[in-house]
Amino acid sequence: MRKVRPLFELRAPIADSDAVTIEYGGQTLHALAGEPLSSALLRAGILATTRSPKYRRPRGPYCLRGECGSCQVRIDGEPNIRACTTPVRDGLKVEAQNQWGPAGLDPTPIVDSLFRDGIDHHHLVVRPRLANAVMQRVARTMTGFGVLPDAASTAPATSHEHRPQVLIVGSGSAGRAAACALERAGIEALTIDRLDRRTLETSPGALPAGLLSGVGVFAAYPQEGLWAAAAAPLSTAAGDLALHIIRPQHVILAVGGREPMLPIANNDLPGVVSARGLVHLLRRGEVRAAAPVIVIGDGDHAEALAQELGAQRFASDEVRRITGGDTVDGVELADRRVPCRLVALAPTPAPVHELAAQAGGRLRFDGHGFAVVTDDVGRVESSEGGAREAAPWTLWACGDVRGWRGPAASAADGETTAAAIGATIRAELERAPSAGAER
Amino acid sequence: MTDRVFLCRCEDVTLSEIDHAIDEDLTSVEEIKRYTGLGTGPCQGRECIGPLACLLVRRGLADPSTIQPFTARPPAEPVTFGALAGTQPPFFADSSADWTVHRDPDTAAEEPDP
């Protein structure tokens, strides 16, 4: 095997109490208990763990924070598990997925070279019908060698019902500022964030008291009057399938922003990661980057990330293409090529609009994605035909979900919204003192 | 590897495929989603909806004041069928109804299967 300098290395030797071993495709890897599985794989030089559905290109960890889905692996016989949100435990058996045949011998990547001008499945081999039937079968097989789980899950399913005064979705700058302000005002709030506690602790600001970490809010059901959340599969040691049903009086969406794809040639190569995801991974303090990083992005946001990463930055229109074979080996500019093994993309984050849309909130295009429309204090406006009338809660939003504003402004936003909710709750109590007394 | 600019990595939808769809006169978010499969993979459009909207607005194919994303259906985060199936009372039971009635064999026999 070729010996190359690793991309990432541990900051300190693993203490005996934290040393675990995991298996990846027959290889034994030494890892740190609790580190994200994607971190352990990247340290071992495993950048690609799956292949893309159409062109069969190698893919691996990209966003590093549970957004994208390209780091999916098979763990203990269970397919489609995100490596970046799975904490390492001793004995995990990890396998690549969407590969065909023995490792390294998958012949399907030839599709990428054969169809240089792209594949239009609406016009490719449409006639004669027999050829089309064969083509469909080949395409469907290639699109995903989806292999079912080894066995039906025997993990215990637990469900938990919560009836907080306020549900806060997301504990970034805005969410934790709102949670702390509500706590000071004596208002009972439940904060839910899909990231694990260890990752959340690396961001500035105290974590809320009532925090459910490692749990993702996956839906708003205004008609049923509930919000639903679940722990990521295999994210807990017990492996239990925990479902949380929340029936709040007020909901604060503080879900922040996420990275839209920067349209640059070969933006999918293994070794291309999200700059913000990389910063969050490194802030955990377990690993450091051992190879030079190049940041691609524009404006203050990208510059701040490049500085934290100690990386050279290029504006997105300076870069002609990212180069490499199975992994990144450089960035090509108009006049030269800069070698590197890690490229961190730093687009301006786009608001995470999905839950607001499900809850009937109004959205506007903000130049990067779709921001939630609110009044000055964060009360979410209804979309036309939205189902908000039926909802038994008041919907609020603060921070980057209203359009990118950065951590400091998001925290201020969170406090404003918390104050407005405090005022609303006090006004309700004054209007209905007897109901207040019953609480 | 062939140079490709991806908008949607989940479903391998490239910029040239979007161009191709636009050449076919499919110029709205919904039409492009249906023609190319953009936004229908594991991330459910988190990565590609913004860049697609930017592209349509930049080319004058969409009005920035009215453009909307495709419908965001649950689940927005991964959840297993096991977790949904394991809840008591059933996940979508009317909270005001007495759900135990559905477990009564006499009553259940009279009601059609859900």
Side-chain angles (χ1 to χ4, degrees):
Chain A
M1 197 189 258
R2 208 154 46 104
K3 192 75 189 166
V4 287
R5 203 179 135 87
L7 283 177
F8 294 94
E9 56 196 19
L10 285 167
R11 279 176 172 275
I14 303 176
D16 285 350
S17 56
D18 290 334
V20 297
T21 57
I22 58 174
E23 195 189 301
Y24 178 81
Q27 210 180 329
T28 301
L29 309 180
H30 297 278
L32 189 60
E35 76 174 312
L37 176 57
S38 48
S39 157
L41 293 172
L42 289 170
R43 275 197 298 108
I46 299 160
L47 271 63
T49 56
T50 182
R51 283 197 179 271
S52 70
K54 206 153 80 186
Y55 299 114
R56 309 296 299 156
R57 290 159 73 103
R59 297 279 167 80
Y62 167 75
C63 75
L64 303 170
R65 43 193 276 125
E67 295 278 1
C68 75
S70 71
C71 65
Q72 289 186 338
V73 287
R74 190 178 180 87
I75 302 177
D76 292 344
E78 192 77 30
N80 306 328
I81 309 287
R82 280 177 178 152
C84 64
T85 51
T86 306
V88 163
R89 292 190 300 278
D90 196 36
L92 285 184
K93 189 169 178 291
V94 185
E95 293 165 273
Q97 64 173 36
N98 275 16
Q99 315 248 19
W100 202 41
L105 294 176
D106 186 343
T108 58
I110 195 158
V111 173
D112 188 53
S113 328
L114 283 180
F115 294 91
R116 300 192 80 87
D117 298 326
I119 297 176
D120 177 353
H121 56 279
H122 300 283
H123 292 105
L124 182 71
V125 200
V126 178
R127 290 191 186 83
R129 281 184 66 178
L130 182 65
N132 184 252
V134 173
M135 179 63 209
Q136 294 274 354
R137 175 156 287 208
V138 171
R140 284 195 183 137
T141 313
M142 299 256 279
T143 315
F145 297 108
V147 183
L148 291 172
D150 290 350
S153 171
T154 53
T158 56
S159 71
H160 314 266
E161 181 153 328
H162 311 264
R163 291 176 183 270
Q165 275 179 293
V166 184
L167 164 67
I168 305 172
V169 188
S171 70
S173 308
R176 66 183 70 178
C180 292
L182 289 173
E183 209 174 298
R184 283 196 301 273
I187 295 167
E188 177 216 356
L190 170 68
T191 310
I192 302 187
D193 198 296
R194 66 139 185 270
L195 295 176
D196 66 319
R197 200 174 179 94
R198 175 73 190 271
T199 300
L200 292 172
E201 279 169 351
T202 61
S203 297
L207 285 181
L211 171 68
L212 208 52
S213 59
V215 171
V217 175
F218 65 82
Y221 295 105
Q223 303 283 341
E224 287 79 9
L226 63 89
W227 292 68
L234 298 184
S235 64
T236 60
D240 60 330
L241 307 170
L243 186 87
H244 298 266
I245 289 172
I246 308 108
R247 299 181 189 278
Q249 292 160 33
H250 296 267
V251 179
I252 304 179
L253 294 175
V255 282
R258 42 108 192 290
E259 279 61 38
M261 193 30 81
L262 270 185
I264 293 171
N266 304 325
N267 49 6
D268 67 323
L269 288 185
V272 178
V273 296
S274 137
R276 204 152 63 121
L278 182 58
V279 161
H280 282 247
L281 176 64
L282 299 181
R283 273 189 197 162
R284 289 175 56 103
E286 295 145 343
V287 298
R288 62 174 157 239
V293 185
I294 284 181
V295 168
I296 304 176
D298 310 294
D300 295 346
H301 169 68
E303 184 53 33
L305 289 169
Q307 279 182 12
E308 180 157 358
L309 292 168
Q312 198 175 3
R313 177 176 75 90
F314 297 110
S316 51
D317 59 3
E318 280 181 277
V319 179
R320 282 203 172 158
R321 54 196 278 267
I322 298 166
T323 62
D326 278 354
T327 59
V328 166
D329 65 15
V331 162
E332 192 181 292
L333 311 176
D335 54 346
R336 66 197 156 110
R337 199 181 143 268
V338 186
C340 68
R341 290 168 59 213
L342 268 179
V343 169
L345 302 183
T348 302
V352 176
H353 68 261
E354 286 79 6
L355 289 174
Q358 284 178 23
R362 196 152 78 83
L363 304 177
R364 65 172 174 87
F365 178 63
D366 76 343
H368 309 286
F370 294 90
V372 181
V373 181
T374 68
D375 66 8
D376 291 346
V377 292
R379 202 185 304 255
V380 176
E381 291 183 16
S382 292
S383 66
E384 279 168 41
R388 287 259 316 280
E389 301 77 60
W393 54 68
T394 310
L395 189 63
W396 309 77
C398 57
D400 296 330
V401 72
R402 297 172 59 210
W404 173 254
R405 58 202 64 215
S410 288
D413 220 24
E415 289 186 11
T416 305
T417 299
I421 291 179
T424 307
I425 289 177
R426 279 192 300 277
E428 277 166 6
L429 287 181
E430 278 161 24
R431 268 202 306 276
S434 56
E438 278 168 26
R439 277 193 65 86
Chain B
M1 218 164 317
T2 307
D3 275 356
R4 295 186 199 275
V5 181
F6 287 95
L7 253 74
C8 165
R9 293 182 310 135
C10 296
E11 293 296 306
D12 268 4
V13 181
T14 63
L15 193 54
S16 69
E17 287 170 44
I18 306 284
D19 286 337
H20 180 67
I22 292 172
D23 288 344
E24 301 269 320
D25 244 4
L26 304 166
T27 55
S28 73
V29 168
E30 290 289 341
E31 286 168 337
I32 291 173
K33 170 187 169 179
R34 279 164 176 72
Y35 191 73
T36 63
L38 169 139
T40 61
C43 92
Q44 288 288 291
R46 286 165 172 261
E47 223 171 75
C48 60
I49 184 62
L52 176 65
C54 291
L55 181 147
L56 295 176
V57 166
R58 207 178 322 115
R59 296 197 188 173
L61 296 169
D63 178 351
S65 64
T66 56
I67 188 170
Q68 289 291 303
F70 39 70
T71 309
R73 295 185 177 84
E77 298 284 341
V79 56
T80 57
F81 281 117
L84 294 175
T87 59
Q88 294 293 341
F91 187 53
F92 284 111
D94 182 344
S95 56
S96 62
D98 178 8
W99 63 276
T100 52
V101 93
H102 298 293
R103 300 177 83 202
D104 181 336
D106 295 330
T107 320
E110 289 163 23
E111 289 182 1
D113 282 335

